[in-house]
Amino acid sequence: MASDSGPQADAVHWAALDGLRGVAVVAVLLYHAFPQLAPNGFAGVDVFFVLSGFLITSLLVRERERYGRVSLPNFYMRRILRLYPALLLTVGLVLGLQAGRGELREAVPGAVAAVLYVSHVTIGLGIDSGFLSHTWTLSLEEHFYLFWPVVLLGLLAGRLRRSLAVIALLMLGLAILPGVLPGTVGAMYWRGLPMLVGSCIALVLPRLPPSTVWWGRSGLVSLAVLTVILMTPVAVPAVLMRGPFGIPTILSVVVIVGFVVARRSLGARFLSVVPLTWLGVRAYGLYLYHFPIVLSPVVSKLMSVLGVEMLWLGNMLLALGITVVCAGASYRWVEAPFLRLKDRFRIRESRDPAAAASIRN
């Protein structure tokens, strides 16, 4: 869910994918603010998961191809620098909000779970996380970041068909977890399987036929259908919207492949417009801050203190506006400074030209 936009020595940047992330985060925000108008917006999370799997796997594969190895300590440190600053700020703000309401003790379990990235486990066991309930998605992603690089390095040592077979077995194993783990914990892990779908796309993408026109048109059609589904006021059965075989996951795959292969296609240019990419780059902050701002009574109480009477619709619109401002400020003054530190945790080019050439070859 977190964009890695910023100084990156090893990354290839796809602006269209920032735009896709922007579409997904808008869907999630609308779902929580106006659930009757966007009842399918929750599936924006599945789009995030596919993107996360694709981007992280692409980054790791590219690092291995360029340097001949992957530094797992550096990878994990880059993840910490990207994810923790805004998360800690969000947790602190929620604790402050709950303390002001006299509910600090009730907020502590959710805060601890969020910081330790186990919210999906505690929520699955029936423990309420309050205004940090949305951090279950971050916990799933962090578990993916923890185990997937190790698995991927082993897969890259073998053939592609063998690697995809192992991924299929992993997906099958995770798919049976709902019947093995207590509560709904297993169902939570099953919900995160689109990340493995995105990882598969990153592995097979270089082998796809280079028909840019066909892929570009397919991506455009899929983007249009995905956007309509996420934003429509007509609810689609949840069983068709979640998980690795859900409609949003399948459409996201086509969009990603289409616009990575055909970077100059009409759909890719549309997703690369500044408003969407601005939202996409700041999607992590938007996702973190919107939940406590939109769902807590803080905005309505603020208006009451100011003596302003507003309808529910006005409160929601104001809450979304405050969310955008907070996310923009967070990215500039909290996240970006730590993003600049990430380059310190990358493999450096060898100063010996012969050695550098042997690594690339």
Side-chain angles (χ1 to χ4, degrees):
M1 191 166 305
S3 169
D4 281 324
S5 298
Q8 294 188 78
D10 300 336
V12 175
H13 181 242
W14 294 287
L17 300 191
D18 281 338
L20 180 59
R21 189 185 288 108
V23 171
V25 76
V26 167
V28 174
L29 265 61
L30 290 178
Y31 171 70
H32 284 136
F34 310 107
Q36 294 181 338
L37 296 180
N40 306 315
F42 66 88
V45 168
D46 295 79
V47 180
F48 284 134
F49 285 158
V50 178
L51 279 167
S52 293
F54 174 78
L55 293 172
I56 287 299
T57 302
S58 298
L59 186 149
L60 292 169
V61 169
R62 192 159 51 245
E63 182 174 313
R64 184 177 182 274
E65 290 177 346
R66 182 173 182 178
Y67 302 108
R69 63 188 181 91
V70 172
S71 172
L72 291 181
N74 284 356
F75 171 80
Y76 293 131
M77 183 57 66
R78 293 195 302 267
R79 291 294 88 202
I80 290 173
L81 290 172
R82 178 63 189 101
L83 299 174
Y84 248 119
L87 175 62
L88 292 178
L89 177 59
T90 302
V91 170
L93 291 175
V94 168
L95 288 177
L97 171 66
Q98 295 294 79
R101 302 176 64 190
E103 300 174 353
L104 179 60
R105 179 175 297 180
E106 291 82 352
V108 170
V112 173
V115 171
L116 297 180
Y117 288 114
V118 292
S119 292
H120 66 297
V121 176
T122 57
I123 293 173
L125 294 176
I127 301 174
D128 183 21
S129 288
F131 297 132
L132 293 170
S133 297
H134 62 315
T135 58
W136 69 268
T137 61
L138 309 182
S139 299
L140 280 179
E141 286 198 341
E142 193 62 25
H143 284 214
F144 173 76
Y145 297 149
L146 185 64
F147 90 89
W148 176 243
V150 179
V151 174
L152 179 63
L153 293 182
L155 296 178
L156 291 177
R159 294 180 178 273
L160 178 63
R161 290 182 181 178
R162 187 186 308 165
S163 298
L164 295 178
V166 172
I167 294 176
L169 290 175
L170 283 173
M171 292 180 66
L172 179 61
L174 290 173
I176 66 175
L177 284 180
V180 177
L181 295 179
T184 59
V185 178
M188 291 280 192
Y189 279 109
W190 181 86
R191 184 75 191 279
L193 284 179
M195 286 184 277
L196 285 179
V197 174
S199 300
C200 290
I201 299 307
L203 293 175
V204 304
L205 188 60
R207 300 171 181 267
L208 293 178
S211 177
T212 56
V213 174
W214 188 89
W215 280 116
R217 291 174 178 172
S218 300
L220 179 60
V221 172
S222 297
L223 173 64
V225 175
L226 176 64
T227 303
V228 169
I229 290 176
L230 292 177
M231 308 298 181
T232 183
V234 180
V236 177
V239 68
L240 299 177
M241 297 292 291
R242 295 173 175 168
F245 309 113
I247 296 172
T249 296
I250 297 171
L251 293 174
S252 297
V253 167
V254 181
V255 172
I256 291 171
V257 174
F259 296 158
V260 168
V261 172
R263 300 182 66 164
R264 298 183 180 180
S265 64
L266 176 62
R269 292 200 303 270
F270 170 76
L271 280 181
S272 300
V273 297
V274 172
L276 284 178
T277 57
W278 190 93
L279 291 171
V281 169
R282 293 155 183 81
Y284 183 53
L286 288 168
Y287 183 81
L288 277 174
Y289 303 127
H290 90 279
F291 202 78
I293 293 175
V294 168
L295 297 185
S296 74
V298 62
V299 173
S300 59
K301 286 190 174 181
L302 175 62
M303 293 297 98
S304 177
V305 170
L306 296 176
V308 178
E309 294 292 336
M310 295 181 66
L311 297 176
W312 170 81
L313 176 62
N315 282 333
M316 287 297 99
L317 291 175
L318 180 58
L320 290 177
I322 293 173
T323 298
V324 172
V325 171
C326 289
S330 172
Y331 185 80
R332 180 172 181 178
W333 288 300
V334 178
E335 299 166 59
F338 287 94
L339 281 173
R340 288 190 286 270
L341 296 177
K342 289 172 61 179
D343 279 341
R344 299 183 182 182
F345 298 94
R346 299 189 186 278
I347 300 174
R348 300 300 179 184
E349 293 275 12
S350 172
R351 296 184 179 181
D352 182 353
S358 67
I359 289 176
R360 295 192 186 95
N361 294 333

